[in-house]
Amino acid sequence: MLIQLQANICPDQKTAIQDKAKELKYKTTEVITQAGHYLVGTGKAEFDVRTIGHLPGIKDIHMVSDDYKLVSRKWKVNPTVIDFGDGLQVKEGELTLMAGPCSIENEEQIEKTIAHLVSQGVRFMRGGVFKPRSSPYSFRGLGLEGLKMFYQLCRANGIKIVTEVMQVSQIVPMEPYTDVFQVGARNTQNFNLLDELGKVDKPVLLKRGISGTIDELLYSAEYIFSGGNEKLMLCERGIRTYETASRNTLDLNAIPILKEKTHLPVIVDPSHGIGIRDYVEPMALAAIMAGADGIIYETHEKPEEAASDGAQTLSFAESARMIQKMRKTFELRKELV
Amino acid sequence: MLIQLQANICPDQKTAIQDKAKELKYKTTEVITQAGHYLVGTGKAEFDVRTIGHLPGIKDIHMVSDDYKLVSRKWKVNPTVIDFGDGLQVKEGELTLMAGPCSIENEEQIEKTIAHLVSQGVRFMRGGVFKPRSSPYSFRGLGLEGLKMFYQLCRANGIKIVTEVMQVSQIVPMEPYTDVFQVGARNTQNFNLLDELGKVDKPVLLKRGISGTIDELLYSAEYIFSGGNEKLMLCERGIRTYETASRNTLDLNAIPILKEKTHLPVIVDPSHGIGIRDYVEPMALAAIMAGADGIIYETHEKPEEAASDGAQTLSFAESARMIQKMRKTFELRKELV
Amino acid sequence: MLIQLQANICPDQKTAIQDKAKELKYKTTEVITQAGHYLVGTGKAEFDVRTIGHLPGIKDIHMVSDDYKLVSRKWKVNPTVIDFGDGLQVKEGELTLMAGPCSIENEEQIEKTIAHLVSQGVRFMRGGVFKPRSSPYSFRGLGLEGLKMFYQLCRANGIKIVTEVMQVSQIVPMEPYTDVFQVGARNTQNFNLLDELGKVDKPVLLKRGISGTIDELLYSAEYIFSGGNEKLMLCERGIRTYETASRNTLDLNAIPILKEKTHLPVIVDPSHGIGIRDYVEPMALAAIMAGADGIIYETHEKPEEAASDGAQTLSFAESARMIQKMRKTFELRKELV
Amino acid sequence: MLIQLQANICPDQKTAIQDKAKELKYKTTEVITQAGHYLVGTGKAEFDVRTIGHLPGIKDIHMVSDDYKLVSRKWKVNPTVIDFGDGLQVKEGELTLMAGPCSIENEEQIEKTIAHLVSQGVRFMRGGVFKPRSSPYSFRGLGLEGLKMFYQLCRANGIKIVTEVMQVSQIVPMEPYTDVFQVGARNTQNFNLLDELGKVDKPVLLKRGISGTIDELLYSAEYIFSGGNEKLMLCERGIRTYETASRNTLDLNAIPILKEKTHLPVIVDPSHGIGIRDYVEPMALAAIMAGADGIIYETHEKPEEAASDGAQTLSFAESARMIQKMRKTFELRKELV
């Protein structure tokens, strides 16, 4: 059960609704986000929805059979729109592109990447300053100082930043310099991080776990939404299977399934997904035909010199070519609907 | 090492080549197919290719590092073309469509499906008469009598038949009534079946194993080719993973990887791949953008009444709509190359 | 529904039972094995079991909810005993050991292995003469002539042969020289092979598929049993996962699960399961504590010179040591029940 | 390269060693733990170990080819011993048992569990107060207040606490009331948490990731060790595969592999591993025979009323029976070495 409350609901009205829900053996969780005020009810009893629905203070009420209720498309049929100002929105019906290096390395690298993105009309730059690495002895990124430099250069050029946050204590220092908090595949079920990102008024790009199910991704999104943050994007980035011919198994099946289950935008990462430079483009185009709302990928002036992930990173020339193809593919998809 | 022999090579010349290879510590296997005459050499020594290459009777010689040599694109850069007569070919650069029910049920079903295919310009009809079933108590298909009926109706309408062969003893009786022998996912490593299909002069559609690697698929193709049959198509049909939201995990990553590794056509089966009717179309379109040479899928006049696989089968109306979209998608892909 | 028929049932009585079942919307399959005569009924209606049970000619009737009915422990609570004569039985409560090389190579190899087995009181020798190989260019075994030599030497020493059958056409020629037909992991769902093995009066050792589920293994066993052959053993040999530190992931979880679901003996193959010589022993001992009825493993006089699988093969000294430990472990398990 | 430094090394000596390593193109990381002082060198050049080894201040030097150097058995052949005082140690050669409920529920539950453990001579009680849950609406544990109660009752009875820490901010408040910090399967690659646990002087039980490789587990252990904490235990708890007959696939193959690769103790969790009450005992006994140094499992006075994981939790009677069997099995294993 999902109850949308009216903006001007008074405390007594809310209490009356909660009491009624309790009477019906539903546990309610109150959720206040940037855009709405909800009571999420979990329980099993079946009842006439009007029993509660007629109470004052209620805007709308939906019975949602999914356990992830706030991110479910069963109550919110219209897809989520995330507004970044300046006419920039992430939403169904437009193709969002996010590109950049795996790791932020230095000022020159950022400037060259920005110049490439601006020339192609791409508005989001990805790049990590905190890098999760399997081995403690690997390069772990430039940290906050790198992020500040990254931010200043992007801001001066109208580019939005997508960058990974690895832990709760990074959220506050990163926030002034971040446009989209990316949650990596190793943190999809870092529930405390999700809880805290629920309290932030910045969009979050939530990646599917390394061997996460589609349902687990939606539950993790529910954590952030129920924490108070509706500005959510989901990201398919490949799953772990027995096959070693590709780095991961990019699971494009997840796209139509997610698009039906949730109102959130679905972004696809073919770079990590297949992990081999020459195959990033066909997977990106395939993802678009499968219904993706956006593509995030890795590009670098000199991929062979990149600090990390060079083998799956496109040169700017390859990136430019792929952007043109992605846009044409997206146009065709819109025609075919 | 792959040696193409001249058509008119005399026995002494062949022996001289084999002796030379032996001297270089290479084991040779002689392969005679519909289209060529080869010596496949397996060994590790490095030598100047001219050492052998200058011998009389040799058309061409290639060092092929892959263990699957005959199906490798490293010696045969031009993609394989499979000719069915009447201007019908399966080849790179054209979109091959194969459609029909999971199981052949009766004459009326075949006639209606043929009418649908003819109206859409589809030249291949799929349909099983020998059905591999997990449980011995399930319906196992109409058998050879069903195939004969299937064949007569198709032949009268210029439609080619794609149908599964499950065991060696079925090959001879099926051959007069079959245009493409399909090897199912449970038989990808049924090596005796592969050996015997190498002796047949009919095309084979070889499916990837239920949890088969891409390399295993290519090795299995090598069995058929080295048995003497070059008329081979590969089929990605979804792999087994931990994810249960889709029936299988259709692995589109396999398409660009296979297209680079082999000269054989790559067909994709989105019906078994994702296993949910509503998602077959987006996966088919995605497969085409990823580089597939063809799509095989399930369609039935009344999917809900199909003897098997109804949940993943398209109605004729859905099929017709998807065909139009697939063709437009394929046109775009050709433009973008 | 599983109906055991009396040995002396007359045709009219059988027809009456089948008619009654049909009336209750059950489809019946008649099964005649070495040991019994059954009607397997598949259907969903619930009814008082006495409705059928009182009919003449019925020995016993059980409602079995599993779809694999004949191999289910829900009707046959007592475990299956497979008798080889000479006091040799495979059964719960005794530890069956089967050992030998991956491939039969020559007479001397067989003789030395037999001497080792005899000295240790092991009664079954494993060894392949038909080898399923991923690549068509690998050694495929000595074939039938090798089997004849293998058989003569074993017979003279009271040793029973366990050897792999790969295809239907091998069954008849192999039968005189084979004591246990092994079905390999690539053939677990080769349903035609299973059907034909159902017609043979020789025990079958059925391996779990490369990525087969426990249920699929039981369904495949049901194929053989319903074909008429009750002399069945199941074999856990490792499944395919993402982990590459072991050759396969030997799934010992399957042992207690299988022991509860079926009355058939469960044998474990730690050699293929973990695939690394040093770890075969701990996995064998673990399998016994988990409830295995037997262990099948690879041993060779000189593992480093074995024609195949040397890296997972024990020397005779290692084998002898492991046998002692396995027997002590098995004694402890019996004490602890 | 792993360099053990002398306790009384002076700064100049250390600098000289670091300079020499740099000259050989090795990057060094200084590690100071409770027990030792190390320089971990990562690099590829081969050189005579005496080049560095003769420098003053060095206790010992080892070339370690593994990328996880500190946790590797290649330099520290003797297994790690973790001392808890009062004669309580976790170490190879003794069987460590840890038991208790999934979630701490209330005082009575703790008291009854302690009474059970004391009666059986078990010295560690497991129990969660911070619970990672897929859904934000599930019970998330009693939190710090629950832990304090848990600690007081355990301390009064000589029982050590094993409890899960989910995030960095919990470490400091939990530390006074925790004997072993457990890192759950969703946090195995929460690198910031690992970094911080490296700074704590309390043992850590690190679980393998949900689909983590054995190598990833060792890398994560290296994070904690290189952070300064040598008191580490590893825990196999089942991996995610396609098989659904068990909750996870308890991977006993990991035991002998880990025991060879690392000097750290290896604990096995059969409760989460197989996830079905009746099968916990055979898997526990199997784990011991495979070489496990300890077993952690779930037990509850009334499993069917447990707040979580009841289906895999043993009653006290089942627990007592299993303890006796585990000890006898461990005795046998020691005899057989």
Side-chain angles (χ1 to χ4, degrees), chain A residues 27 29 40 67 70 132-137 140 166-168 186 189-192 195 211-213 216 219 222-223 226 240, chain D residues 27 29 40 42 67 70 132-137 140 166-168 186 189-192 195 211-213 216 219 222-223 226 240:
Chain A
K27 183 188 142 204
T29 304
V40 181
D67 285 335
L70 289 159
R133 304 302 294 266
S134 296
S135 164
Y137 308 122
R140 300 208 214 170
M166 286 176 63
Q167 61 172 314
V168 170
R186 286 172 189 78
Q189 292 196 311
N190 183 335
F191 300 120
N192 301 108
D195 276 339
S211 66
T213 64
E216 286 171 348
Y219 277 123
E222 186 84 4
Y223 262 91
S226 70
R240 182 168 276 179
Chain D
K27 184 189 142 203
T29 304
V40 180
T42 52
D67 285 334
L70 290 159
R133 304 302 296 266
S134 297
S135 164
Y137 309 122
R140 299 209 215 169
M166 285 175 63
Q167 61 172 313
V168 171
R186 286 172 191 77
Q189 292 196 311
N190 183 336
F191 301 119
N192 301 107
D195 276 338
S211 65
T213 65
E216 286 171 348
Y219 277 123
E222 185 84 3
Y223 261 92
S226 69
R240 181 169 277 178

Coordinates of all heavy atoms in Angstrom, one line a residue, chain A residues 27 29 40 67 70 132-137 140 166-168 186 189-192 195 211-213 216 219 222-223 226 240, chain D residues 27 29 40 42 67 70 132-137 140 166-168 186 189-192 195 211-213 216 219 222-223 226 240:
Chain A
K27 N 2.0 -2.1 8.7 CA 3.1 -1.3 9.3 C 3.4 -0.1 8.3 O 3.6 -0.3 7.1 CB 4.4 -2.1 9.4 CG 5.5 -1.5 10.1 CD 6.8 -2.4 10.0 CE 8.0 -1.5 9.8 NZ 9.1 -2.2 9.2
T29 N 5.6 3.3 7.1 CA 6.8 4.1 7.2 C 6.6 5.4 6.5 O 6.1 5.5 5.4 CB 8.0 3.3 6.4 OG1 8.1 2.0 6.9 CG2 9.3 4.1 6.5
V40 N 4.3 4.5 3.4 CA 4.5 3.2 2.8 C 4.0 2.2 3.7 O 4.5 2.1 4.9 CB 6.0 2.9 2.4 CG1 6.1 1.6 1.8 CG2 6.5 4.0 1.6
D67 N 7.3 -5.6 -3.4 CA 7.9 -5.2 -2.1 C 8.6 -3.9 -2.1 O 8.8 -3.2 -1.1 CB 8.8 -6.3 -1.5 CG 8.0 -7.5 -1.0 OD1 6.8 -7.3 -0.7 OD2 8.5 -8.6 -1.1
L70 N 7.9 2.3 -3.5 CA 8.1 3.6 -4.0 C 8.7 3.7 -5.4 O 8.4 4.6 -6.2 CB 9.0 4.4 -3.0 CG 8.3 4.7 -1.7 CD1 9.4 5.0 -0.6 CD2 7.4 5.9 -1.8
P132 N 37.3 2.2 -5.9 CA 37.4 0.9 -5.2 C 38.3 0.0 -6.0 O 38.1 -0.3 -7.1 CB 35.9 0.5 -5.3 CG 35.3 1.2 -6.5 CD 36.1 2.4 -6.8
R133 N 39.3 -0.6 -5.3 CA 40.2 -1.5 -5.9 C 40.3 -2.8 -5.2 O 40.4 -2.7 -3.9 CB 41.6 -0.8 -6.0 CG 41.6 0.5 -6.8 CD 41.0 0.4 -8.2 NE 41.9 -0.4 -9.0 CZ 42.8 0.1 -9.8 NH1 43.0 1.4 -9.9 NH2 43.6 -0.7 -10.5
S134 N 40.4 -3.9 -5.9 CA 40.5 -5.2 -5.2 C 41.7 -5.2 -4.3 O 41.6 -5.8 -3.2 CB 40.5 -6.3 -6.2 OG 39.4 -6.4 -7.0
S135 N 42.8 -4.7 -4.8 CA 44.1 -4.8 -4.0 C 44.3 -3.5 -3.3 O 44.2 -2.4 -3.9 CB 45.2 -5.1 -4.9 OG 46.4 -4.8 -4.3
P136 N 44.8 -3.5 -2.0 CA 45.0 -2.3 -1.3 C 46.3 -1.5 -1.9 O 46.5 -0.4 -1.5 CB 45.3 -2.8 0.1 CG 45.7 -4.2 0.0 CD 45.0 -4.7 -1.2
Y137 N 47.0 -2.2 -2.7 CA 48.2 -1.5 -3.2 C 48.0 -0.8 -4.6 O 48.9 -0.2 -5.1 CB 49.4 -2.6 -3.4 CG 49.6 -3.3 -2.1 CD1 49.5 -4.7 -2.1 CD2 49.8 -2.7 -0.9 CE1 49.6 -5.4 -0.9 CE2 50.0 -3.4 0.3 CZ 49.8 -4.8 0.3 OH 50.0 -5.5 1.5
R140 N 44.3 4.5 -5.8 CA 43.0 4.7 -5.3 C 42.3 6.0 -5.6 O 41.3 6.4 -5.1 CB 42.9 4.5 -3.8 CG 43.4 3.1 -3.3 CD 42.8 2.7 -2.0 NE 43.7 1.9 -1.2 CZ 43.4 1.6 0.1 NH1 42.3 2.0 0.6 NH2 44.2 0.9 0.8
M166 N 32.1 6.3 -2.2 CA 32.3 5.0 -1.6 C 31.9 4.8 -0.2 O 31.7 3.7 0.3 CB 33.8 4.6 -1.7 CG 34.3 4.3 -3.1 SD 36.1 4.0 -3.1 CE 36.2 2.6 -2.1
Q167 N 31.8 5.9 0.5 CA 31.4 5.7 1.9 C 30.7 6.9 2.5 O 30.8 8.0 1.9 CB 32.7 5.4 2.8 CG 33.7 6.5 2.7 CD 34.8 6.2 3.7 OE1 34.5 5.9 4.9 NE2 36.0 6.4 3.3
V168 N 30.0 6.7 3.6 CA 29.2 7.7 4.2 C 30.0 9.0 4.5 O 29.5 10.1 4.2 CB 28.6 7.2 5.5 CG1 27.9 8.3 6.3 CG2 27.6 6.0 5.2
R186 N 30.1 -2.6 -6.1 CA 30.5 -3.3 -4.9 C 29.7 -2.7 -3.7 O 29.8 -3.2 -2.6 CB 32.0 -3.1 -4.6 CG 32.8 -4.0 -5.5 CD 34.2 -3.7 -5.4 NE 35.0 -4.5 -6.4 CZ 35.1 -4.1 -7.7 NH1 34.4 -3.0 -8.1 NH2 35.7 -4.8 -8.6
Q189 N 24.7 -3.0 -2.2 CA 24.0 -3.4 -1.0 C 24.7 -2.9 0.3 O 24.7 -3.5 1.3 CB 23.8 -4.9 -0.9 CG 22.8 -5.3 -2.0 CD 22.3 -6.8 -1.8 OE1 23.1 -7.7 -1.5 NE2 21.0 -6.9 -1.8
N190 N 25.4 -1.7 0.1 CA 26.0 -1.0 1.3 C 24.8 -0.1 1.8 O 24.7 1.0 1.5 CB 27.2 -0.2 0.8 CG 27.8 0.5 2.0 OD1 27.2 0.8 3.0 ND2 29.1 0.9 1.8
F191 N 24.0 -0.8 2.7 CA 22.7 -0.2 3.0 C 22.9 1.2 3.8 O 22.0 2.0 3.7 CB 21.9 -1.2 3.8 CG 21.6 -2.4 3.0 CD1 22.0 -3.7 3.5 CD2 21.0 -2.3 1.8 CE1 21.7 -4.8 2.8 CE2 20.7 -3.5 1.1 CZ 21.1 -4.7 1.5
N192 N 23.9 1.3 4.6 CA 24.1 2.5 5.3 C 24.4 3.7 4.3 O 24.0 4.8 4.5 CB 25.3 2.4 6.3 CG 24.9 1.3 7.3 OD1 25.5 0.2 7.3 ND2 24.0 1.5 8.2
D195 N 21.1 4.6 2.8 CA 20.4 5.4 3.8 C 20.8 6.8 3.7 O 19.9 7.7 3.7 CB 20.6 4.8 5.2 CG 19.7 3.7 5.5 OD1 18.7 3.5 4.9 OD2 20.1 2.9 6.5
S211 N 27.0 -9.4 -8.7 CA 26.1 -10.5 -9.1 C 24.7 -10.2 -8.5 O 24.1 -11.1 -7.9 CB 26.7 -11.8 -8.6 OG 26.7 -11.8 -7.2
G212 N 24.3 -9.0 -8.6 CA 23.0 -8.6 -8.1 C 21.9 -9.0 -8.9 O 22.0 -9.0 -10.2
T213 N 20.7 -9.3 -8.3 CA 19.5 -9.6 -9.1 C 18.9 -8.3 -9.4 O 19.1 -7.2 -8.8 CB 18.6 -10.5 -8.4 OG1 18.1 -9.8 -7.2 CG2 19.2 -11.8 -7.9
E216 N 17.1 -7.1 -6.4 CA 17.9 -6.5 -5.4 C 18.3 -5.1 -5.7 O 18.4 -4.2 -4.8 CB 19.2 -7.3 -5.2 CG 19.0 -8.6 -4.4 CD 20.3 -9.5 -4.5 OE1 21.2 -9.3 -5.2 OE2 20.3 -10.5 -3.7
Y219 N 15.3 -3.1 -4.7 CA 15.2 -2.9 -3.3 C 16.2 -1.9 -2.8 O 15.9 -1.1 -1.9 CB 15.6 -4.2 -2.6 CG 14.4 -5.2 -2.4 CD1 14.5 -6.5 -2.9 CD2 13.3 -4.9 -1.7 CE1 13.5 -7.4 -2.8 CE2 12.2 -5.8 -1.6 CZ 12.4 -7.0 -2.1 OH 11.3 -7.9 -2.0
E222 N 14.9 1.4 -3.5 CA 13.9 1.7 -2.5 C 14.5 2.3 -1.2 O 13.9 3.1 -0.6 CB 13.1 0.4 -2.2 CG 11.9 0.6 -1.3 CD 10.6 1.1 -2.0 OE1 10.6 1.2 -3.3 OE2 9.6 1.4 -1.4
Y223 N 15.7 1.8 -0.8 CA 16.3 2.4 0.3 C 16.6 3.9 0.2 O 16.3 4.7 1.1 CB 17.7 1.7 0.5 CG 17.8 0.6 1.5 CD1 17.6 -0.7 1.1 CD2 18.1 0.9 2.9 CE1 17.7 -1.7 2.1 CE2 18.2 -0.2 3.8 CZ 18.0 -1.5 3.4 OH 18.1 -2.5 4.3
S226 N 13.1 5.8 -0.1 CA 12.4 5.8 1.2 C 13.2 6.7 2.2 O 12.7 7.1 3.2 CB 12.2 4.4 1.8 OG 13.4 3.8 2.1
R240 N 28.3 -11.0 -13.1 CA 29.3 -12.0 -13.1 C 28.7 -13.4 -13.5 O 27.8 -13.9 -12.9 CB 29.9 -12.1 -11.7 CG 31.0 -13.1 -11.5 CD 31.7 -12.9 -10.2 NE 32.7 -11.9 -10.3 CZ 33.5 -11.5 -9.3 NH1 33.4 -12.0 -8.1 NH2 34.4 -10.5 -9.4
Chain D
K27 N 57.6 -0.4 -5.3 CA 56.9 0.5 -4.4 C 56.7 -0.1 -3.1 O 56.3 -1.3 -3.0 CB 55.5 0.8 -5.1 CG 54.7 1.9 -4.4 CD 53.3 1.8 -5.1 CE 52.2 2.1 -4.0 NZ 50.9 1.6 -4.3
T29 N 55.0 -0.2 0.9 CA 54.0 0.3 1.8 C 54.4 -0.2 3.2 O 54.7 -1.4 3.4 CB 52.6 -0.3 1.4 OG1 52.3 0.0 0.0 CG2 51.5 0.2 2.3
V40 N 55.9 -3.8 2.6 CA 55.4 -4.6 1.5 C 55.8 -4.0 0.2 O 55.5 -2.8 0.0 CB 53.8 -4.6 1.6 CG1 53.3 -5.5 0.4 CG2 53.3 -5.1 2.9
T42 N 55.7 -3.9 -3.9 CA 55.1 -4.4 -5.1 C 56.0 -3.9 -6.3 O 56.3 -2.7 -6.4 CB 53.7 -3.9 -5.3 OG1 53.7 -2.4 -5.1 CG2 52.8 -4.5 -4.2
D67 N 49.7 -11.5 -5.1 CA 49.5 -10.1 -5.0 C 49.0 -9.7 -3.6 O 49.2 -8.6 -3.1 CB 48.5 -9.6 -6.0 CG 49.2 -9.5 -7.4 OD1 50.4 -9.3 -7.5 OD2 48.4 -9.6 -8.4
L70 N 50.7 -10.1 2.6 CA 50.8 -10.2 4.0 C 50.0 -11.4 4.5 O 50.3 -12.1 5.5 CB 50.2 -9.0 4.7 CG 51.2 -7.8 4.6 CD1 50.4 -6.5 4.8 CD2 52.3 -7.9 5.6
P132 N 22.0 -6.3 7.9 CA 21.8 -5.9 6.5 C 20.6 -6.6 5.9 O 20.5 -7.8 5.9 CB 23.1 -6.4 5.8 CG 23.6 -7.5 6.7 CD 23.0 -7.3 8.0
R133 N 19.6 -5.8 5.4 CA 18.4 -6.5 4.8 C 18.2 -5.9 3.4 O 18.3 -4.7 3.2 CB 17.2 -6.1 5.7 CG 17.4 -6.6 7.2 CD 17.7 -8.1 7.3 NE 16.6 -8.9 6.8 CZ 15.6 -9.3 7.6 NH1 15.7 -9.1 9.0 NH2 14.6 -10.1 7.2
S134 N 17.8 -6.8 2.5 CA 17.5 -6.3 1.1 C 16.5 -5.2 1.1 O 16.6 -4.3 0.3 CB 17.1 -7.5 0.3 OG 18.1 -8.5 0.2
S135 N 15.4 -5.4 1.9 CA 14.4 -4.4 1.8 C 14.5 -3.4 3.0 O 14.8 -3.8 4.1 CB 13.0 -5.1 1.9 OG 12.0 -4.2 2.3
P136 N 14.3 -2.1 2.7 CA 14.4 -1.2 3.8 C 13.3 -1.3 4.9 O 13.4 -0.7 6.0 CB 14.3 0.2 3.1 CG 13.6 -0.1 1.8 CD 14.0 -1.5 1.4
Y137 N 12.3 -2.1 4.6 CA 11.1 -2.2 5.5 C 11.3 -3.4 6.4 O 10.4 -3.7 7.3 CB 9.8 -2.3 4.7 CG 9.7 -1.2 3.7 CD1 9.5 -1.4 2.4 CD2 9.8 0.2 4.1 CE1 9.4 -0.4 1.5 CE2 9.7 1.2 3.2 CZ 9.5 0.9 1.9 OH 9.4 1.9 1.0
R140 N 15.7 -4.4 11.2 CA 17.2 -4.1 11.0 C 18.0 -4.3 12.3 O 19.2 -3.9 12.3 CB 17.4 -2.7 10.5 CG 16.7 -2.5 9.1 CD 17.5 -1.4 8.3 NE 16.6 -0.6 7.6 CZ 17.0 0.5 6.9 NH1 18.3 1.0 7.1 NH2 16.2 1.3 6.2
M166 N 28.5 -3.0 10.1 CA 28.1 -2.7 8.7 C 28.7 -1.5 8.2 O 28.7 -1.3 7.0 CB 26.6 -2.6 8.7 CG 25.8 -3.9 8.7 SD 24.0 -3.6 8.8 CE 23.8 -2.8 7.2
Q167 N 29.2 -0.6 9.0 CA 29.7 0.6 8.5 C 30.7 1.2 9.4 O 30.8 0.9 10.6 CB 28.6 1.6 8.3 CG 27.8 2.0 9.5 CD 26.9 3.2 9.2 OE1 27.2 4.1 8.5 NE2 25.6 3.0 9.7
V168 N 31.5 2.1 8.9 CA 32.6 2.7 9.6 C 32.2 3.4 10.9 O 32.8 3.2 11.9 CB 33.3 3.8 8.7 CG1 34.4 4.6 9.4 CG2 34.0 3.1 7.5
R186 N 27.9 -8.9 2.1 CA 27.7 -7.7 1.2 C 28.7 -6.7 1.4 O 28.7 -5.7 0.7 CB 26.3 -7.2 1.5 CG 25.1 -8.0 1.0 CD 23.8 -7.5 1.5 NE 22.8 -8.5 1.2 CZ 22.6 -9.7 1.8 NH1 23.4 -10.0 2.9 NH2 21.6 -10.5 1.5
Q189 N 33.7 -6.3 0.0 CA 34.5 -5.3 -0.8 C 34.1 -3.9 -0.5 O 34.2 -3.0 -1.3 CB 34.4 -5.6 -2.3 CG 35.1 -6.9 -2.7 CD 35.3 -7.1 -4.1 OE1 34.4 -6.8 -4.9 NE2 36.5 -7.4 -4.5
N190 N 33.7 -3.7 0.8 CA 33.5 -2.3 1.3 C 34.8 -1.9 1.8 O 35.1 -2.0 3.0 CB 32.4 -2.4 2.4 CG 32.1 -1.0 2.9 OD1 32.9 -0.1 2.8 ND2 30.9 -0.9 3.5
F191 N 35.6 -1.3 0.9 CA 37.1 -1.2 1.2 C 37.3 -0.2 2.3 O 38.3 -0.3 3.1 CB 37.8 -0.8 -0.1 CG 37.7 -1.8 -1.2 CD1 37.1 -1.5 -2.4 CD2 38.1 -3.1 -0.9 CE1 37.0 -2.5 -3.4 CE2 38.0 -4.1 -1.9 CZ 37.4 -3.8 -3.1
N192 N 36.4 0.8 2.5 CA 36.6 1.8 3.5 C 36.4 1.1 4.9 O 37.1 1.4 5.9 CB 35.7 3.0 3.4 CG 35.9 3.7 2.0 OD1 35.1 3.6 1.1 ND2 37.0 4.4 1.9
D195 N 39.5 -0.8 5.6 CA 40.6 0.1 6.0 C 40.5 0.4 7.5 O 41.5 0.4 8.2 CB 40.5 1.4 5.2 CG 41.2 1.3 3.8 OD1 42.0 0.5 3.6 OD2 40.8 2.2 3.0
S211 N 29.1 -13.3 -4.3 CA 29.7 -14.0 -5.5 C 31.1 -13.7 -5.6 O 31.7 -13.5 -6.7 CB 28.9 -13.7 -6.8 OG 29.2 -12.3 -7.1
G212 N 31.8 -13.7 -4.5 CA 33.2 -13.3 -4.4 C 34.1 -14.5 -4.8 O 33.8 -15.6 -4.5
T213 N 35.2 -14.2 -5.4 CA 36.2 -15.2 -5.7 C 37.0 -15.4 -4.4 O 37.1 -14.6 -3.6 CB 37.1 -14.9 -6.9 OG1 37.8 -13.7 -6.5 CG2 36.3 -14.6 -8.1
E216 N 39.5 -12.6 -4.4 CA 39.0 -11.4 -3.8 C 38.9 -11.4 -2.3 O 39.1 -10.4 -1.7 CB 37.6 -11.1 -4.4 CG 37.6 -10.6 -5.9 CD 36.3 -10.6 -6.6 OE1 35.3 -11.1 -6.0 OE2 36.2 -10.0 -7.7
Y219 N 42.4 -10.7 -1.1 CA 42.7 -9.3 -1.3 C 42.0 -8.4 -0.2 O 42.6 -7.5 0.3 CB 42.2 -8.8 -2.7 CG 43.1 -9.0 -3.8 CD1 42.7 -9.7 -4.9 CD2 44.4 -8.5 -3.8 CE1 43.5 -10.0 -6.0 CE2 45.3 -8.8 -4.9 CZ 44.8 -9.5 -6.0 OH 45.6 -9.7 -7.1
E222 N 43.8 -8.7 2.8 CA 45.1 -7.9 2.8 C 44.8 -6.5 3.1 O 45.7 -5.8 3.7 CB 45.6 -8.0 1.3 CG 47.0 -7.4 1.1 CD 48.2 -8.3 1.5 OE1 48.0 -9.4 1.9 OE2 49.3 -7.8 1.5
Y223 N 43.6 -6.0 2.8 CA 43.3 -4.6 3.2 C 43.4 -4.4 4.7 O 43.9 -3.5 5.2 CB 41.8 -4.3 2.7 CG 41.7 -3.5 1.5 CD1 41.6 -4.1 0.3 CD2 41.7 -2.1 1.5 CE1 41.4 -3.4 -0.9 CE2 41.6 -1.4 0.3 CZ 41.4 -2.0 -0.9 OH 41.3 -1.3 -2.1
S226 N 47.0 -5.0 6.0 CA 47.9 -3.9 5.7 C 47.5 -2.6 6.4 O 48.3 -1.7 6.5 CB 48.0 -3.7 4.2 OG 46.8 -3.2 3.7
R240 N 26.8 -17.6 -4.7 CA 25.6 -17.5 -5.6 C 25.8 -18.3 -6.9 O 26.7 -17.9 -7.6 CB 25.2 -16.1 -5.8 CG 24.0 -15.8 -6.6 CD 23.6 -14.4 -6.7 NE 22.8 -14.1 -5.5 CZ 22.3 -12.9 -5.2 NH1 22.5 -11.9 -6.0 NH2 21.6 -12.6 -4.1

